[in-house]
C-alpha cells in the first residue's frame, strides 16, 4: 500500500483472488449485484433503489457478524474488512452528494420545486438538499483515515498459527478438546496425489474425531463436501446411509481450530 489510495487495492485484490479459487464465496454473494453493475450500472429507479438497499443490508450484516467472537482470525482479515468498509463509506458519501445534486434535475423536469430557503419548522427540499450534501461530505471525509488505519492492521504481526491444511486443522481441534476427544487416523490418506484430489473436492484426509454427548451417544467430527460436520453415529442406517448431520458454521478447511472447538462444544456441551 505505497500509494495514497492503496487501501482500496486490498479489498479489490481479495475479490480477484476469490474469483480464481474453488469456493468463490465473494462471487456468489455479489452475483446478484453484478448482474446490475457489470454493464453500465443501474439505470432505472428499481435498480438504483435495489443497489442502495443491498448496500444497507450488507453493512448491517457486517456489523452483526462482528458481534461474534470468531468473526475474524487475524489483523490482516480485519484490514480487508476495514478496506471494504471505508470504500463503502466513501462511495455512500459520493452517492449522497449526487442525490443532493439530483434534486435539481427533478426540479428542471418540473417534477418538484426546490424552495429558495429552508424552513426550520416544516422541512422542505432545500433542507433535504443541504442535509444530503453535508452528510455526503462528512462521509467522504471519514475515508481520509483509511490509508493509515488499513496499513496498521495489515502490517500488525499475527501471533497465532493457522493450519496449513485440513489434517493440521483436525489434529489441532483434537488437542484442544483434550481427553473428551479421540483422534482417529485409521483412514488417513497418505498418498499425496489422492490427498490433493480429496482436498480439491472439499474432503479432508480421512481422519476424524470420536466424541460423545451427554447421553453417551457417540458422535464423529470430520470434514466432507467442503464443510466441517458432526455426525451422530446413531443416525447412520443399517444400510450405511447417513440420515442427518450438523454442518458447523466454520466451513474452511483451514478454519481456526479454536473456532471449531467452540462450535463443537456448543453442539455437545456436556460431552466435551
Amino acid at each position: 500500500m505505497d500509494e495514497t489510495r492503496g487501501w482500496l487495492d486490498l479489498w479489490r485484490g481479495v475479490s480477484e483472488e476469490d474469483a480464481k479459487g474453488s469456493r468463490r464465496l465473494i462471487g456468489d454473494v455479489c452475483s446478484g449485484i453484478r448482474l446490475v453493475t457489470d454493464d453500465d450500472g443501474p439505470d432505472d429507479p428499481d435498480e438504483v433503489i435495489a443497489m442502495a438497499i443491498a448496500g444497507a443490508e450488507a453493512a448491517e450484516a457486517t456489523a452483526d457478524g462482528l458481534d461474534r467472537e470468531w468473526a475474524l482470525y487475524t489483523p490482516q482479515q480485519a484490514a480487508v474488512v476495514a478496506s471494504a468498509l471505508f470504500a463503502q463509506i466513501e462511495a455512500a458519501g459520493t452517492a449522497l452528494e449526487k442525490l443532493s445534486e439530483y434534486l435539481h434535475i427533478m426540479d428542471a423536469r418540473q417534477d418538484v420545486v426546490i424552495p429558495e430557503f429552508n424552513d426550520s419548522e416544516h422541512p422542505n427540499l432545500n433542507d433535504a438538499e443541504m442535509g444530503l450534501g453535508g452528510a455526503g461530505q462528512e462521509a467522504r471525509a471519514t475515508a481520509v483515515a483509511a490509508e493509515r488505519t488499513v496499513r496498521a492492521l495489515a502490517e500488525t504481526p499475527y501471533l497465532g498459527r493457522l493450519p496449513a491444511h485440513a489434517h493440521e486443522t483436525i489434529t489441532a481441534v483434537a488437542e484442544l478438546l483434550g481427553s473428551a476427544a479421540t483422534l482417529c487416523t485409521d483412514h488417513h490418506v497418505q498418498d499425496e496425489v489422492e490427498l490433493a484430489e480429496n482436498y480439491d473436492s472439499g474432503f479432508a484426509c480421512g481422519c476424524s474425531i470420536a466424541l460423545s454427548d451427554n447421553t453417551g451417544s457417540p458422535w464423529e467430527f470430520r470434514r466432507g463436501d467442503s464443510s466441517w460436520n458432526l455426525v451422530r453415529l446413531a443416525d447412520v442406517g443399517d444400510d450405511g446411509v447417513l440420515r442427518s448431520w450438523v454442518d458447523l458454521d466454520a466451513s474452511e478447511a483451514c478454519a481456526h481450530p479454536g473456532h471449531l472447538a467452540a462450535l463443537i462444544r456448543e453442539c455437545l456441551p456436556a460431552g466435551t
Side-chain angles (χ1 to χ4, degrees):
M1 291 185 290
D2 295 330
E3 298 180 3
T4 304
R5 295 179 60 78
W7 60 272
L8 282 169
D9 295 335
L10 190 55
W11 73 266
R12 288 171 176 164
V14 172
S15 182
E16 291 171 0
E17 290 174 9
D18 176 82
K20 300 174 184 176
S22 58
R23 192 182 187 204
R24 299 182 182 176
L25 177 60
I26 296 172
D28 288 344
V29 171
C30 297
S31 59
I33 292 175
R34 289 171 180 168
L35 286 174
V36 177
T37 60
D38 275 351
D39 296 325
D40 296 328
D43 52 16
D44 65 39
D46 282 348
E47 291 183 347
V48 172
I49 291 170
M51 291 299 97
I53 291 174
E57 288 201 2
E60 288 182 357
T62 303
D64 289 342
L66 289 171
D67 285 333
R68 302 175 185 274
E69 178 186 0
W70 293 100
L72 299 169
Y73 299 156
T74 71
Q76 286 67 43
Q77 292 172 337
V80 175
V81 173
S83 170
L85 289 175
F86 274 120
Q88 288 181 43
I89 292 171
E90 185 176 61
T94 299
L96 285 168
E97 288 184 302
K98 288 186 176 182
L99 186 55
S100 173
E101 297 165 1
Y102 195 81
L103 295 179
H104 291 281
I105 295 178
M106 290 184 173
D107 182 79
R109 292 195 311 235
Q110 298 184 351
D111 293 333
V112 299
V113 174
I114 300 179
E116 186 175 354
F117 302 102
N118 63 334
D119 188 332
S120 58
E121 294 185 3
H122 304 285
N124 57 39
L125 283 184
N126 187 290
D127 295 280
E129 179 198 29
M130 294 175 61
L132 290 167
Q137 290 177 7
E138 289 181 13
R140 290 200 301 112
T142 301
V144 171
E147 177 68 21
R148 183 179 179 86
T149 302
V150 172
R151 179 188 292 275
L153 289 168
E155 295 179 354
T156 296
Y158 173 56
L159 302 180
R161 180 182 180 277
L162 291 176
H165 46 70
H167 181 68
E168 284 192 1
T169 304
I170 199 167
T171 301
V173 170
E175 292 176 356
L176 288 173
L177 293 176
S179 60
T182 301
L183 179 63
C184 306
T185 59
D186 294 347
H187 300 288
H188 179 71
V189 178
Q190 301 290 347
D191 182 81
E192 292 297 327
V193 175
E194 184 181 356
L195 194 60
E197 291 175 352
N198 284 336
Y199 283 138
D200 288 344
S201 61
F203 290 82
C205 58
C207 295
S208 62
I209 296 176
L211 302 157
S212 61
D213 59 22
N214 57 350
T215 68
S217 180
W219 289 69
E220 187 176 86
F221 171 72
R222 64 191 186 192
R223 181 167 181 79
D225 199 15
S226 298
S227 66
W228 290 104
N229 44 67
L230 281 168
V231 175
R232 189 173 66 170
L233 298 186
D235 292 330
V236 179
D238 295 337
D239 54 3
V241 177
L242 178 61
R243 306 304 178 191
S244 64
W245 60 90
V246 179
D247 283 337
L248 300 185
D249 289 338
S251 59
E252 287 293 309
C254 297
H256 196 298
H259 189 185
L260 289 169
L263 292 172
I264 292 170
R265 291 188 180 104
E266 287 178 11
C267 293
L268 306 174
T272 58

